[in-house]
Amino acid sequence: ACALESVLSVRPDLKLVVMSATLDVDGLEHFLQPCTRVEATGRLYPVDCRFMGAALNRDAAPVWSRAAQAFRETIRSNPEPGDFLVFMPGAYEIRRTIDAITALPEARGYEVLPLHGELSPDAQDRAVSPLGRPKVIVSTNVAETSITVEGVRVVIDSGLARIARYDARRGINSVLVEAISRASSEQRAGRAGRTGPGTCLRLWSEAEHLARTERDEAEVKRVDLSETYLLLTAKAVDLDQFVWYEAPDAPSLSRAVDLLQGLGALDAESQITEVGQLMAEFPLHPRYARMLIEAHRRKVLNEVA
């Protein structure tokens, strides 16, 4: 929204390009007017999607065990199915999945590799590069849209992702494991159909699939906005006139203002203070930024950090 405002006011020479495989194109096109719409549709081979049983059943095994079982069944029915891509919500589940798969006799001859944002560049490159032998890549949703892994013919989808959401009890954002939307599951399944017909094994039931949301909820509607509010205010953006692409609800903005006033970042008229300007320089939630500033003032910064 800020970039668009700049184009329309002070930087008409600036070219703005917005790209994604999963955008709500019609809504965004209306917001960006005037704009040009370009669509590039790559070839996608058919993907056979199968549901592997209820995930919410009280007796259901851990998700990594169910992923290993899906891998075993696939190998037994087709000894040379191609490379596997397994979606897990985070690094912990990835480690457990790798352990469960490598313990199987069916995994002999397979390279089983992790892929997530905390890995070194070399480790990430190893996961996505051809190795000359079949491999199983166990990944977070970084492989859903950010990168394409060549040679994948089987996707095993946990149906889970780590999602940032406001935690009212703690007063900050928390990252929670939640079920992905139907749109995300379709995007994940498509990873098996890039180089030929593929298979997607979903570790939940068809009934659970139909109960999922159609699309992911926009982050601006589910997280604490105090950091966003502080950054925009520090840059002299008039939030009363600010044109959001997807506007947050009024209570979320009000909660952000109350918190920033309580921390001394805004005054009673919601104008940014000297402390607020300093807080905006920290790449942190305002609560943590304010705490570090106060710790420095009291000469206990090391202990607080």
Side-chain angles (χ1 to χ4, degrees):
C2 290
L4 181 61
E5 188 175 289
S6 296
V7 170
L8 297 176
S9 55
V10 297
R11 287 292 307 277
D13 60 308
L14 190 65
K15 297 291 186 284
L16 200 60
V17 181
V18 183
M19 298 188 297
S20 174
T22 56
L23 286 174
D24 174 11
V25 181
D26 293 333
L28 189 63
E29 186 178 24
H30 177 75
F31 179 74
L32 292 174
Q33 288 293 348
C35 73
T36 300
R37 175 170 170 171
V38 178
E39 293 191 46
T41 54
R43 181 177 183 182
L44 191 65
Y45 292 88
V47 176
D48 177 23
C49 293
R50 305 174 196 166
F51 295 97
M52 306 301 288
L56 300 178
N57 190 322
R58 185 178 300 176
D59 300 324
V63 67
W64 48 85
S65 298
R66 288 184 280 123
Q69 180 62 27
F71 172 82
R72 170 189 279 165
E73 291 177 8
T74 302
I75 296 295
R76 286 180 173 178
S77 62
N78 180 6
E80 296 182 4
D83 290 351
F84 287 74
L85 175 59
V86 184
F87 283 102
M88 286 288 155
Y92 172 76
E93 292 84 1
I94 286 174
R95 287 195 301 273
R96 296 300 299 263
T97 303
I98 289 174
D99 290 343
I101 291 176
T102 52
L104 298 173
E106 290 83 0
R108 289 197 194 103
Y110 276 85
E111 190 87 18
V112 187
L113 301 164
L115 179 59
H116 55 83
E118 296 172 16
L119 292 174
S120 68
D122 286 345
Q124 293 187 41
D125 288 345
R126 179 170 172 77
V128 301
S129 301
L131 298 179
R133 58 186 295 199
K135 60 184 175 180
V136 180
I137 303 146
V138 190
S139 174
T140 60
N141 57 4
V142 68
E144 182 180 321
T145 56
S146 301
I147 51 178
T148 295
V149 184
E150 297 296 333
V152 169
R153 301 294 289 275
V154 182
V155 165
I156 299 175
D157 187 3
S158 68
L160 303 171
R162 276 185 156 74
I163 306 293
R165 193 175 296 278
Y166 176 68
D167 183 345
R169 182 174 58 84
R170 298 168 62 207
I172 58 173
N173 295 327
S174 291
V175 180
L176 310 173
V177 175
E178 297 183 2
I180 61 173
S181 66
R182 295 198 298 273
S184 285
S185 64
E186 288 301 316
Q187 183 70 15
R188 291 182 176 187
R191 297 285 144 170
R194 293 302 173 109
T195 56
T199 303
C200 176
L201 306 177
R202 291 172 171 162
L203 304 182
W204 65 97
S205 68
E206 188 170 6
E208 289 169 342
H209 185 73
L210 295 174
R212 296 184 173 210
T213 58
E214 182 178 356
R215 288 185 172 275
D216 295 324
E217 184 181 21
E219 187 173 6
V220 74
K221 295 181 180 294
R222 53 180 161 80
V223 299
D224 170 46
L225 295 174
S226 57
E227 186 175 2
T228 300
Y229 198 105
L230 179 62
L231 289 172
L232 290 171
T233 304
K235 298 300 180 184
V237 174
D238 184 354
L239 281 158
D240 291 331
Q241 304 297 321
F242 189 65
V243 181
W244 300 84
Y245 168 47
E246 292 175 294
D249 56 37
S252 295
L253 287 172
S254 178
R255 187 172 63 229
V257 171
D258 289 346
L259 175 60
L260 292 171
Q261 288 177 334
L263 294 173
L266 301 180
D267 61 22
E269 282 73 45
S270 296
Q271 299 301 307
I272 194 163
T273 64
E274 186 176 338
V275 170
Q277 288 284 3
L278 187 56
M279 288 167 61
E281 297 298 319
F282 285 79
L284 293 171
H285 188 278
R287 288 186 187 274
Y288 296 142
R290 182 69 182 88
M291 185 168 62
L292 290 177
I293 291 168
E294 187 66 18
H296 178 69
R297 187 180 74 81
R298 294 172 182 252
K299 296 181 171 55
V300 290
L301 182 58
N302 286 342
E303 292 85 345
V304 169

